[in-house]
Amino acid sequence: MTAREAFLERVKSAVAEGNRAGGAPPLPERGRVGYQGAGADPVERFCQELIAAGGKAYLASDADAPLRLVQEILQSLNARRILLTRGGLIDQLGLAGMLRRLGLEVKTLDDLGADSREEFFQADVGITNVHRLIAETGTVVLTSRPNEPRSASLLPPVHICLAERSQILPDLFDLFDLFAPTASASKTLPPSCLTLITGPSKTGDIELKLVTGVHGPGEVHVILLAGSAGEG
Amino acid sequence: MSNYAQHEHHDFLGASAQALADPTLQQALVRLTDTLLAGNRKGYAALADSSELRDHAKRIKEHTLAHLDQYLVQLEASVQRLGGKVHWAATADEARKIVVEIAQKANCKHAVKSKSMTSEEIHLNPALEAAGVEVTETDFGEFIIQVAGERPSHLVAPAVHHTRESVARVLSKHLGQQLADDPKSLAMTGRRVLREKFRQADLGITGANFAIAETGTVVLVTNEGNGRLTTTCPRVHVAIMGIEKVIPRFTDLPVFLKLLARGATGQTLSVYTTIITGPRQAGEYDGAEEFHLVLLDNGRSKVLATPFRESLQCIRCGACLNACPVYRRIGGHAYGGVYSGPIGSILTPLYDSVEENPHLPHASSLCGACQSACPVKINIPHMLIGLRELQHEREPNRWERWAYGLWSAVLQRPWAYRWALWAARVFLKRRATNGWIAQMPGPGAEWTKIRDFPAPAAQSFRDRWKELE
Amino acid sequence: MITCLADGFFPDVGVATVKLLRRLGVTVEFPQSQTCCGQPHFNSGYHDDARALARNTITTFAKAPLVVTPSGSCAAMVRLEYPELFHADPVWHPRAVDLARRTHELSDFLVNVLKVEDVGARFEGKATYHMACHLRGLGLLTEPIRLMRKVRGLHFVPLERYDECCGFGGSFAVRYPGISGAMVRDKAAFIEKTAVDAVVATDAGCLMNIGGCLNRQASKVRILHLAELLAQT
């Protein structure tokens, strides 16, 4: 018997021995239990929850607003080195070009070689698209993919993301349902890394005093566009 | 800071007395548990049907544990399909060897660790260091503990027994420079130091809050982001998990995520939930290239076979510690094990031994505050009572056995019970003043060390019943 | 059902319970064969002894349509532990379940069975409330407070950490006087802060612990069982 087989045999007999007469309970179906939803106004709910978690939310009302908001945030931070991911709203808005015209040092994935991790460590701000937002919790959801490195929302001290209001899901359960098996398809395998970000990095390890930014970004800014296009 | 934080011991009475006499620790414990327990209650209250959701979570755990062998096989297949590797570790020793071997094969020299109670349980760090691998704890609290050479004293707030002054002292000494005792600047120093470690790291070691059998997914929940860094920067990622952490489906995960943060701190969700399904895929810029999952038994299958199986439902949120009036007063180190508080009082005797930890099952008033706070409603008082029963089987205390037996024999006979009431009344009559006794004989003396004992009434209720009829 | 602690140490609680129930039109019986529900033995891990005492209790109350006890801890023992204690016993399990269904803690009986909150009681002064731990297990989180708030003349003062254990815990208080003492001293300090005339609780265990501590500290605050409070007119 291999170590693995012995291991499993032990678990199997323990399962049998410990199962009380009457049999093991079936895997329960949740139904609607625990579903919170977002109430009447998911946008407002998202913003409230994000702010409660220590993040900042901005509503972009006109076509020029997103760039103006990004610019204001960067100026208030006195940020120089900006790192951009690719695709989605970032490309649609032509953000890289516009920020360069403002004289900022902008790095896009096109500028980076395979081994330029140092650029991520050095950047002042990372700007990304999002996969979804969750209104119930004020959460930004990112997926790892060639255009969206995990480091962009992680290593720089400030994270700005661009999203459309249509990307808001009311409840955390809705996100996971996107990956559940459906009648038509067997299932969508989750990405290699699905990241849920709810506000800035926090620690309370010293006397419970809240400090932001100990590891991840100390600031999270979410700019919400009015549009209704699909995911980024 | 007390020296009992530095080593394992089983002197429960000494350590708890020391904790009770430490005003700084008392203040820290009250602050922590007040804040987190209030968060726990607020968190559950904010979910309209939190009680039903907790029941649902409990049923998922019950089901999984009742089919654990099948779910482990499914988890293994899912991880392998993605190109990850699964290792089976029957004991702590095997687990240490597996991790050391992974590090050596991949030629790793610098490991970063995200907070993991499981790796704490198997005492991984010394084994890696002996093999020439530098290990750095990256949760800020764990980092402080590591530098101080101590053990964590709370599941989610490992450095709660420290003050800003003691943290400044510990880090100043470690870094060889004088640091101010301001939490913000100390944390920023931590960031700077640990960033360098992440830059160098070639091995990332994590636990797993959950693992999903259906998809081969490992889930890490942190507030600081060190879990993300540990799985993003190094080229090799090893996750070590107790076998009870598996859940069946991807859609079961949000049930636990909603409860974990609410139960632990009252947050709707922890800041970072990192949901990793296999190693980095082709074309991706970052993430670990190699993914290993170590499945640890280390006594769990033994517990699985017993009525203590319910303890395997624990999701390590720390809510029972925060709710516990005993933890609140003696802190984590007094428990003498890796896990402290109510859940530690069950896990330590079960996994270490009942004989070595005779106090833990008894050092509880069975008030049930732990069960009320638990996201999966584990009946901790019941299991403590079960351990007391087990203790009587293993190491019977003959005098106590005899006393309880006699007491029960009396109570089973109403005439004897009536006689005993009379005897107690006569015996204690002289000692009472105004209905209270300041000094009791026998075991009652322990009671009257602290408070007075009521004198038996001149007439018992059953005697007065006649007038009432 | 009058608990052994109340029987021997706080008989006034039993008398008050009888008076109160009669005032509300309930016929009260007290079978003399009852002694102790077996909780001390159960909690200490002597389950065979506990089963013997449970069988005595089950037999004693076999014919009672409803069993009311002024003790959360006895009610919890009967309602929550008896069925589990006999889970593998085909003869006693159904009888245990049956008694569990018929047994009520006093405030539970008043509020949820009789559906009264105003029992016509009067108390001149300030009072606060300490929640006994077994009420948590029974899910009786508000019943005693609702009853207290309807007592005429009573000025209710909330107690800080009112639902934290007072440190009694049976043998716990004797085995760990240091920890138990820290708990009851904190409880007494919170009670003193309310500046009340009386602290009300539903269990003899809490009352002897809290009362013993208050008496040691020469406090002026009286301990009062909920039944005693509600029996006064």
Side-chain angles (χ1 to χ4, degrees):
Chain A
M1 212 188 309
T2 66
R4 172 186 177 275
E5 282 161 2
F7 189 113
L8 281 167
E9 197 45 53
R10 224 174 22 250
V11 175
K12 195 172 173 181
S13 60
V15 162
E17 197 184 331
N19 282 358
R20 251 197 194 183
L27 183 54
E29 287 306 324
R30 187 178 55 81
R32 296 289 290 177
V33 171
Y35 191 90
Q36 285 276 96
D41 188 346
V43 174
E44 196 192 322
R45 177 73 190 273
F46 172 81
C47 295
Q48 276 171 359
E49 293 292 336
L50 177 63
I51 291 163
K56 294 201 173 119
Y58 309 83
L59 297 176
S61 42
D62 56 76
D64 301 331
L67 178 74
R68 200 175 58 237
L69 287 165
V70 171
Q71 193 186 340
E72 278 170 19
I73 296 166
L74 295 178
Q75 270 168 358
S76 73
L77 296 166
N78 216 359
R80 294 290 316 151
R81 279 181 285 206
I82 319 298
L83 204 134
L84 294 185
T85 63
R86 189 158 47 193
L89 288 170
I90 289 178
D91 283 8
Q92 285 171 34
L93 294 169
L95 204 57
M98 295 205 272
L99 293 177
R100 280 194 178 113
R101 281 193 287 281
L102 294 172
L104 293 163
E105 189 184 316
V106 175
K107 289 272 159 61
T108 68
L109 295 188
D110 299 323
D111 309 319
L112 301 177
D115 195 25
S116 46
R117 196 174 68 159
E118 204 44 39
E119 298 287 351
F120 287 86
F121 274 98
Q122 297 298 337
D124 296 327
V125 176
I127 305 183
T128 72
N129 297 298
V130 311
H131 176 63
R132 287 286 193 277
L133 302 174
I134 302 167
E136 176 203 0
T137 51
T139 300
V140 174
V141 182
L142 302 177
T143 56
S144 57
R145 55 178 74 192
N147 281 345
E148 293 284 351
R150 308 171 199 198
S151 301
S153 59
L154 176 62
L155 293 178
V158 176
H159 176 204
I160 300 175
C161 43
L162 300 167
E164 285 174 337
R165 292 175 205 190
S166 59
Q167 288 177 287
I168 296 179
L169 297 170
D171 192 285
L172 185 66
F173 285 123
D174 298 318
L175 173 70
F176 288 83
D177 285 345
L178 296 178
F179 301 98
T182 60
S184 53
S186 65
K187 72 191 64 162
T188 320
L189 205 65
S192 58
C193 188
L194 184 66
T195 304
L196 278 54
I197 301 174
T198 308
S201 159
K202 293 186 185 77
T203 183
D205 276 324
I206 302 177
E207 296 185 358
L208 227 57
K209 188 109 175 75
L210 182 71
V211 177
T212 54
V214 65
H215 278 302
E219 290 184 26
V220 175
H221 303 264
V222 179
I223 299 173
L224 275 172
L225 279 69
S228 60
E231 65 183 270
Chain B
M1 189 188 66
S2 310
N3 58 10
Y4 54 79
Q6 307 217 332
H7 50 87
E8 292 211 25
H9 60 76
H10 298 290
D11 177 18
F12 178 81
L13 292 178
S16 56
Q18 218 175 328
L20 281 166
D22 180 342
T24 315
L25 179 67
Q26 291 294 316
Q27 197 192 355
L29 288 170
V30 167
R31 181 171 49 213
L32 178 82
T33 56
D34 267 356
T35 309
L36 295 185
L37 181 59
N40 170 283
R41 291 178 173 179
K42 194 187 93 218
Y44 289 157
L47 266 182
D49 52 359
S50 63
S51 183
E52 287 79 8
L53 189 64
R54 290 160 69 199
D55 289 335
H56 180 71
K58 186 176 193 70
R59 281 195 293 273
I60 294 173
K61 284 282 185 186
E62 275 169 358
H63 166 85
T64 314
L65 293 171
H67 301 84
L68 189 58
D69 51 329
Q70 296 163 36
Y71 282 117
L72 291 176
V73 170
Q74 192 190 4
L75 175 66
E76 178 192 39
S78 302
V79 170
Q80 286 172 344
R81 199 169 49 231
L82 300 159
K85 209 161 173 246
V86 176
H87 308 262
W88 304 82
T91 61
D93 185 50
E94 278 184 38
R96 288 191 295 264
K97 282 187 184 136
I98 289 167
V99 180
V100 167
E101 202 172 299
I102 293 169
Q104 284 169 340
K105 257 196 194 149
N107 197 24
C108 298
K109 291 278 170 252
H110 303 279
V112 280
K113 259 180 76 191
S114 172
K115 184 169 159 44
S116 149
M117 293 308 290
T118 311
S119 70
E120 201 74 53
E121 175 189 323
I122 63 170
H123 302 287
L124 179 63
N125 294 8
L128 279 170
E129 277 154 11
V133 181
E134 179 208 43
V135 189
T136 308
E137 294 287 351
T138 63
D139 172 89
F140 186 48
E142 290 280 347
F143 176 64
I144 295 166
I145 296 297
Q146 185 188 28
V147 170
E150 299 171 350
R151 290 178 303 118
S153 67
H154 188 281
L155 271 169
V156 301
V160 56
H161 56 287
H162 276 278
T163 59
R164 63 181 74 200
E165 292 85 7
S166 66
V167 173
R169 232 174 6 247
V170 165
L171 293 185
S172 296
K173 189 170 164 220
H174 177 69
L175 300 172
Q177 62 183 101
Q178 200 52 46
L179 301 172
D181 60 10
D182 155 55
K184 171 94 189 165
S185 73
L186 286 168
M188 288 306 120
T189 304
R191 177 183 170 106
R192 204 166 28 78
V193 173
L194 291 168
R195 267 302 158 98
E196 281 317 302
K197 300 292 180 188
F198 283 118
R199 250 198 190 93
Q200 292 173 359
D202 38 27
L203 175 62
I205 299 168
T206 69
N209 290 87
F210 307 96
I212 301 163
E214 176 188 58
T215 51
T217 301
V218 162
V219 184
L220 299 172
V221 178
T222 71
N223 272 322
E224 296 182 358
N226 57 317
R228 289 193 71 195
L229 287 161
T230 305
T231 54
T232 300
C233 297
R235 58 189 160 80
V236 181
H237 173 200
V238 179
I240 308 163
M241 61 172 262
I243 49 175
E244 80 280 17
K245 291 298 178 70
V246 65
I247 55 175
R249 301 167 298 199
F250 203 65
T251 47
D252 294 322
L253 179 59
V255 173
F256 293 97
L257 292 179
K258 283 195 177 202
L259 293 172
L260 177 60
R262 286 182 168 95
T265 60
Q267 291 168 281
T268 50
L269 209 54
S270 301
V271 178
Y272 299 105
T273 306
T274 309
I275 302 169
I276 294 176
T277 308
R280 176 202 302 198
Q281 296 299 300
E284 281 184 46
Y285 189 87
D286 49 15
E289 294 155 30
E290 244 182 73
F291 173 68
H292 298 266
L293 181 61
V294 181
L295 298 172
L296 178 71
D297 184 335
N298 203 30
R300 287 164 173 80
S301 59
K302 249 196 285 171
V303 173
L304 187 65
T306 69
F308 299 102
R309 176 185 282 190
E310 196 186 352
S311 64
L312 293 166
Q313 296 171 5
C314 173
I315 59 172
R316 307 283 192 263
C317 69
C320 61
L321 282 65
N322 305 324
C324 179
V326 174
Y327 175 88
R328 180 190 179 90
R329 289 176 175 85
I330 64 174
H333 289 136
Y335 291 81
V338 173
Y339 303 102
S340 63
I343 192 69
S345 291
I346 294 166
L347 299 181
T348 306
L350 280 178
Y351 291 92
D352 184 5
S353 81
V354 180
E355 291 86 344
E356 289 282 304
N357 301 277
H359 288 289
L360 296 185
H362 292 279
S364 160
S365 64
L366 304 178
C367 78
C370 44
Q371 191 183 5
S372 297
C374 177
V376 287
K377 300 186 180 174
I378 296 177
N379 195 335
I380 293 176
H382 254 196
M383 276 183 286
L384 291 171
I385 291 171
L387 284 170
R388 294 174 183 184
E389 204 181 6
L390 197 66
Q391 198 175 41
H392 301 324
E393 284 165 25
R394 301 251 179 97
E395 283 200 321
N397 174 336
R398 285 168 66 188
W399 187 87
E400 190 190 289
R401 170 64 282 204
W402 177 82
Y404 271 90
L406 177 69
W407 186 12
S408 156
V410 168
L411 290 171
Q412 284 171 55
R413 296 166 180 79
W415 62 266
Y417 166 73
R418 194 183 276 269
W419 180 85
L421 278 184
W422 174 83
R425 188 157 59 231
V426 171
F427 180 63
L428 293 172
K429 202 170 166 184
R430 282 184 305 114
R431 294 172 176 267
T433 334
N434 294 330
W436 292 95
I437 299 166
Q439 218 178 351
M440 283 284 283
E446 296 294 320
W447 174 284
T448 45
K449 264 185 192 167
I450 304 296
R451 67 228 120 181
D452 295 338
F453 192 81
Q459 249 192 320
S460 69
F461 174 78
R462 61 188 58 223
D463 291 334
R464 290 170 65 179
W465 171 249
K466 287 175 216 106
E467 343 158 353
L468 290 168
E469 260 181 320
Chain C
M1 184 192 302
I2 296 300
T3 81
C4 48
L5 276 183
D7 188 16
F9 293 93
F10 301 103
D12 290 347
V13 172
V15 174
T17 305
V18 173
K19 284 189 177 155
L20 171 65
L21 291 176
R22 283 186 179 156
R23 197 169 77 217
L24 296 170
V26 180
T27 311
V28 185
E29 289 294 329
F30 179 78
Q32 293 275 340
S33 60
Q34 63 179 293
T35 58
C36 166
C37 64
Q39 199 208 36
H41 296 78
F42 176 77
N43 280 357
S44 293
Y46 295 107
H47 289 192
D48 289 337
D49 291 338
R51 266 185 283 269
L53 294 169
R55 278 193 289 267
N56 178 51
T57 310
I58 292 170
T59 312
T60 298
F61 294 101
K63 298 220 171 68
L66 279 178
V67 180
V68 178
T69 173
S71 159
S73 96
C74 300
M77 181 67 194
V78 174
R79 285 181 69 116
L80 308 177
E81 313 300 358
Y82 276 16
E84 184 64 20
L85 209 46
F86 291 107
H87 76 87
D89 186 330
V91 176
W92 287 92
H93 184 254
R95 304 179 69 179
V97 170
D98 177 49
L99 179 62
R101 220 174 299 145
R102 286 181 283 124
T103 303
H104 296 276
E105 187 275 331
L106 178 64
S107 70
D108 178 22
F109 177 71
L110 297 175
V111 174
N112 302 319
V113 179
L114 290 187
K115 313 265 181 211
V116 287
E117 291 185 13
D118 183 351
V119 297
R122 173 172 287 281
F123 175 89
E124 294 303 333
K126 291 198 282 183
T128 190
Y129 168 68
H130 158 74
M131 189 181 104
C133 294
H134 285 101
L135 297 194
R136 186 175 14 247
L138 290 166
L140 303 172
L141 304 180
T142 60
E143 281 78 354
I145 297 177
R146 278 147 67 190
L147 289 160
M148 282 179 76
R149 288 206 181 266
K150 291 280 161 61
V151 174
R152 283 164 195 79
L154 186 149
H155 177 67
F156 184 85
V157 187
L159 180 65
E160 206 174 313
R161 300 216 314 252
Y162 77 103
D163 59 351
E164 186 181 70
C165 178
C166 68
F168 176 62
S171 65
F172 169 76
V174 177
R175 282 181 203 264
Y176 304 99
I179 303 169
S180 165
M183 287 161 71
V184 72
R185 276 193 288 258
D186 283 353
K187 182 62 74 179
F190 286 130
I191 292 169
E192 291 290 358
K193 238 164 84 180
T194 60
V196 290
D197 302 297
V199 52
V200 176
T202 56
D203 277 69
C206 313
L207 289 175
M208 67 190 273
N209 187 41
I210 297 172
C213 185
L214 289 171
N215 196 61
R216 174 69 56 95
Q217 297 175 356
S219 165
K220 290 201 174 62
V221 180
R222 284 166 62 201
I223 50 165
L224 207 53
H225 191 283
L226 180 69
E228 296 175 286
L229 174 74
L230 298 181
Q232 297 181 26
T233 49

